[in-house]
Amino acid sequence: MKTIFTLLRLLILLGLIVMMTAIDSRSQDRWGVQVRPGVSFATTDLGDANLKTGFGFDVAASYRFMPHTSVYIGWGWNRFSSDRSFAGDNMDFEETGYILGLQFAHPFAERLPFGYFLKGGALYNHIEVENTAGDIISDSGHGFGFQVETGLSFSVSESWHIIPGIKYQSLSRDLEINETNYAVDLNYLSVGITLLKSF
C-alpha cells in the first residue's frame, strides 16, 4: 500500500512540475478548467452484475505546455445501478477517484475553429457498493486504471471550447461482500461533452 501511495504522489508531483515549469510570460490561454458530464455504457458485467446505463462527470485543470499538447489532473465520479448482483438486489456501484494524463488537440486546418483531440491517462479510483438506503456496504479501496478518449473540439470563442467525445475507462478491483472476495472489472464507454474555459 505504501508503494501505491508513493507512486501516486510521484505522478501528481510530476504533473504539477510540468505545469509549473512551463509557465512563462507568454502563457496566456495555456491554463484551462474543464467539466465533462457523460452517459456511460458498461462493456462487461461487473462480476455477475448486469449494469444499467450509468452517468458521471469529470472535473479537471489543464496546462498546455506545447502548441497542441496539455497535461491534465482532476477528479471523476460515475454511477451504475444493477437490479441483481453478487452484492444483492437493487445495488448502486460508484466509481470515484483521481485522473492524470495528456491531451493532444489539433485543428483540421489553420484558422478553422474546430479540430480533433486524443487523450489518455492514468486513474487512481475505487468502487463503492451502495444499497437503496444509501449505505456503503463495500469499498474496494483505490487502485490504478486507465482512460482513453477521442472526439472533436469546437472553439466558441478565444477562451471557451465545446468538446464532444467518447471515452473508454477501465478499472480492476476486489470487493468483499459478506466475507467473500470478488474480483471485478469495471470497463465502460462514456459519451459526453466537455466544456473547457481557457485563460
Side-chain angles (χ1 to χ4, degrees):
M1 188 61 80
K2 277 187 173 181
T3 305
I4 291 173
F5 282 116
T6 301
L7 184 57
L8 178 63
R9 287 185 188 119
L10 288 174
L11 285 172
I12 291 172
L13 182 61
L14 177 63
L16 292 173
I17 288 171
V18 169
M19 286 183 188
M20 299 309 291
T21 57
I23 296 175
D24 60 28
S25 60
R26 297 164 293 152
S27 64
Q28 183 179 7
D29 292 333
R30 290 187 178 228
W31 291 95
V33 177
Q34 52 190 298
V35 178
R36 182 198 186 276
V39 179
S40 304
F41 307 92
T43 58
T44 58
D45 289 344
L46 185 76
D48 66 355
N50 187 1
L51 301 176
K52 297 180 180 179
T53 300
F55 175 80
F57 67 90
D58 296 339
V59 292
S62 62
Y63 183 77
R64 184 170 50 83
F65 61 93
M66 293 177 66
H68 303 291
T69 308
S70 304
V71 60
Y72 65 90
I73 186 169
W75 182 86
W77 169 86
N78 206 80
R79 168 182 273 179
F80 292 95
S81 296
S82 180
D83 293 333
R84 289 190 176 86
S85 71
F86 59 91
D89 294 342
N90 301 313
M91 293 292 178
D92 290 329
F93 297 88
E94 289 192 7
E95 176 202 23
T96 59
Y98 309 98
I99 52 178
L100 174 67
L102 294 173
Q103 176 172 308
F104 176 81
H106 199 281
F108 287 117
E110 283 200 38
R111 298 197 179 111
L112 282 180
F114 58 93
Y116 66 93
F117 77 93
L118 303 168
K119 186 175 180 179
L123 45 102
Y124 187 64
N125 288 5
H126 68 133
I127 301 169
E128 293 178 340
V129 184
E130 292 186 5
N131 61 21
T132 53
D135 300 321
I136 297 172
I137 63 167
S138 183
D139 186 336
S140 70
H142 284 77
F144 287 100
F146 71 92
Q147 62 176 208
V148 291
E149 185 174 2
T150 189
L152 302 175
S153 177
F154 298 90
S155 297
V156 179
S157 69
E158 285 188 14
S159 61
W160 286 99
H161 311 275
I162 295 175
I163 309 171
I166 183 165
K167 174 177 72 172
Y168 178 77
Q169 191 150 307
S170 178
L171 178 68
S172 297
R173 303 300 300 138
D174 291 333
L175 287 166
E176 186 178 319
I177 307 288
N178 298 325
E179 299 183 355
T180 301
N181 209 42
Y182 297 89
V184 296
D185 297 316
L186 182 56
N187 303 316
Y188 60 90
L189 290 172
S190 173
V191 179
I193 297 179
T194 298
L195 182 63
L196 169 66
K197 165 68 171 159
S198 60
F199 53 94

